[in-house]
Amino acid sequence: MLDDLDDGARVGVWTTLGVITLLLFGLLGGLGMRQLKGAAAPAATSVGEALLEGPLTGDLTGTLYFGTGSADLPAEALAELASVKAAVQAAPARKLVLSGFHDTSGDPAMNAELAKKRAIAVREALKAAGVDAARIQLRKPESTAGDGRPEQARRVEIRLVD
């Protein structure tokens, strides 16, 4: 077939075949990358890392207020966490849900990440205090102004849920 075509047509046919080949390799490569990315996703959502969504429910057992731009536990955290631990021990069938909050100023993604880090810091402190990690869940960070006081937007609420 190519013997009957002139040089211009021959170049056009080979260029078309090359473009089709590149598109196929790109498509297959993209699918392969998606598969690899999808296989790595469950590791990121290990036990305790899956973020719950939905309304706040349960009994509020503690609230920790954090400094601006910080995920370090506040000075009063030990006393608050001790009362939370006592509440958990008194209700062995219930779980804890940690809800991190952030304000609406600045980059929403960075604020949500900081709120999540604060909730993780509280979770790690509770685990260190002896609370079973399987009883602690994290809730998706939420943007709020609270009651208008700045510290209300930099808090982690700890709730006992059924």
Side-chain angles (χ1 to χ4, degrees):
M1 172 182 152
L2 290 178
D3 293 335
D4 297 340
L5 300 175
D6 62 357
D7 287 339
R10 188 174 294 132
V11 169
V13 169
W14 283 112
T15 302
T16 303
L17 288 175
V19 168
I20 290 171
T21 302
L22 286 174
L23 286 172
L24 285 174
F25 278 121
L27 178 64
L28 292 174
L31 290 174
M33 293 299 287
R34 180 177 283 171
Q35 288 293 326
L36 288 175
K37 192 175 187 180
T45 58
S46 62
V47 174
E49 289 298 313
L51 301 178
L52 301 175
E53 293 192 42
L56 287 173
T57 60
D59 301 323
L60 184 64
T61 59
T63 303
L64 294 173
Y65 299 96
F66 288 77
T68 303
S70 174
D72 296 333
L73 287 176
E76 68 275 3
L78 292 178
E80 190 76 19
L81 294 176
S83 69
V84 170
K85 181 180 175 185
V88 169
Q89 290 173 335
R94 299 179 84 188
K95 292 187 177 196
L96 287 175
V97 174
L98 309 179
S99 303
F101 293 86
H102 60 88
D103 65 16
T104 57
S105 67
D107 180 21
M110 286 178 51
N111 288 342
E113 186 61 29
L114 181 57
K116 181 179 173 185
K117 286 179 182 179
R118 290 172 176 157
I120 290 171
V122 172
R123 180 190 65 194
E124 295 306 313
L126 286 167
K127 286 172 29 181
V131 177
D132 182 13
R135 294 183 66 191
I136 304 172
Q137 295 178 309
L138 300 179
R139 187 173 168 270
K140 184 178 177 183
E142 184 174 327
S143 177
T144 183
D147 64 5
R149 295 181 298 159
E151 62 271 7
Q152 285 292 316
R154 299 185 312 265
R155 74 186 188 276
V156 172
E157 291 184 354
I158 306 164
R159 294 179 179 270
L160 271 174
V161 296
D162 293 319

